[in-house]
Amino acid sequence: EPEVTQTPSHQVTQMGQEVILRCVPISNHLYFYWYRQILGQKVEFLVSFYNNEISEKSEIFDDQFSVERPDGSNFTLKIRSTKLEDSAMYFCASSGTGFGYGYTFGSGTRLTVV
Amino acid sequence: QKEVEQNSGPLSVPEGAIASLNCTYSDRGSQSFFWYRQYSGKSPELIMFIYSNGDKEDGRFTAQLNKASQYVSLLIRDSQPSDSATYLCAVNPGGGGYNKLIFGAGTRLAVHP
């Protein structure tokens, strides 16, 4: 079964450092997403991406965040200057042309900011 | 603020019983509704989705939607210990948020042998 692949599975970074989280969506999917889940809290929408541009972003997705699809397969989330409160599980997801069928989530990257 | 509410649980049921999980949502324009299962430390896994009022069955799972009451439920028949997980209700909101999901906090289900 096709999978969304995320790397690394766990990243520890110092406050103020930049991190890049990487995702390889399912190959024939067109819509890509990042969500995050702070420990014990809800899964929260960050951003959706379609046709090489952001289609929607949440209020969480401020200027510290950016996304990029640098080639035909990777989809990245960059956090420019990490804060303690950025510590969370970050999930990448993708969906095909029929969004209504739901997303497939990747296994997640646990980001710990110290 | 568009909200999705779930009872946090835990909901404890014996093996073989029916587990009933409930969800309400605030945005009357919401288009589609999803149930995800999440094991501790893992990513959400899609169980099923529903768009239309009524019931939708898939194996041991039945989703029920009542748009007038803004209510979605998931029934799990013949519950197994492996069903023990957190069940997330997710809603695709109306008003242009056509491809994002708003998640509830989840209901923790414990199936005991």
Side-chain angles (χ1 to χ4, degrees):
Chain A
E1 184 159 333
E3 286 186 345
V4 175
T5 305
Q6 288 188 246
T7 55
S9 57
H10 189 191
Q11 178 145 6
V12 181
T13 189
Q14 297 246 328
M15 191 168 52
Q17 294 297 303
E18 175 183 287
V19 294
I20 297 176
L21 309 183
R22 292 184 164 79
C23 170
V24 179
I26 293 173
S27 61
N28 61 348
H29 282 184
L30 300 177
Y31 298 85
F32 314 116
Y33 314 87
W34 285 100
Y35 283 74
R36 80 172 186 189
Q37 187 176 28
I38 295 170
L39 188 63
Q41 297 188 24
K42 295 182 182 184
V43 176
E44 299 175 289
F45 171 77
L46 293 178
V47 66
S48 59
F49 191 87
Y50 170 70
N51 200 25
N52 283 319
E53 62 182 21
I54 290 173
S55 51
E56 188 173 0
K57 59 184 180 180
S58 72
E59 60 276 8
I60 301 169
F61 195 89
D62 61 21
D63 292 344
Q64 293 298 316
F65 291 89
S66 62
V67 289
E68 195 176 40
R69 187 156 163 81
D71 53 44
S73 60
N74 290 285
F75 180 50
T76 62
L77 175 68
K78 181 192 291 185
I79 309 174
R80 285 189 186 79
S81 177
T82 50
K83 303 187 277 282
L84 295 177
E85 55 265 38
D86 293 327
S87 294
M89 194 75 150
Y90 287 81
F91 294 112
C92 175
S94 68
S95 64
T97 53
F99 160 74
Y101 297 101
Y103 311 146
T104 301
F105 280 90
S107 56
T109 293
R110 179 167 299 285
L111 177 66
T112 302
V113 182
V114 296
Chain B
Q1 183 83 357
K2 297 173 183 177
E3 299 284 345
V4 177
E5 300 290 339
Q6 296 181 255
N7 188 322
S8 62
L11 173 65
S12 182
V13 301
E15 184 174 357
I18 295 174
S20 177
L21 304 157
N22 305 314
C23 171
T24 59
Y25 58 95
S26 63
D27 181 9
R28 191 169 286 279
S30 296
Q31 304 289 324
S32 46
F33 309 86
F34 301 81
W35 283 100
Y36 281 83
R37 176 174 61 196
Q38 187 176 33
Y39 293 109
S40 181
K42 302 296 185 182
S43 61
E45 174 192 4
L46 180 65
I47 298 173
M48 60 190 306
F49 58 88
I50 187 167
Y51 304 121
S52 304
N53 278 327
D55 295 359
K56 180 182 178 184
E57 187 173 318
D58 184 1
R60 295 188 297 115
F61 300 98
T62 299
Q64 299 174 315
L65 173 61
N66 183 326
K67 289 187 178 179
S69 300
Q70 296 174 234
Y71 176 90
V72 194
S73 66
L74 180 71
L75 301 178
I76 307 175
R77 287 181 298 282
D78 188 24
S79 297
Q80 301 297 310
S82 57
D83 294 327
S84 298
T86 298
Y87 288 79
L88 309 178
C89 175
V91 174
N92 170 222
Y98 67 95
N99 64 349
K100 76 177 183 187
L101 293 178
I102 298 173
F103 282 83
T107 298
R108 193 155 50 92
L109 173 65
V111 181
H112 53 86

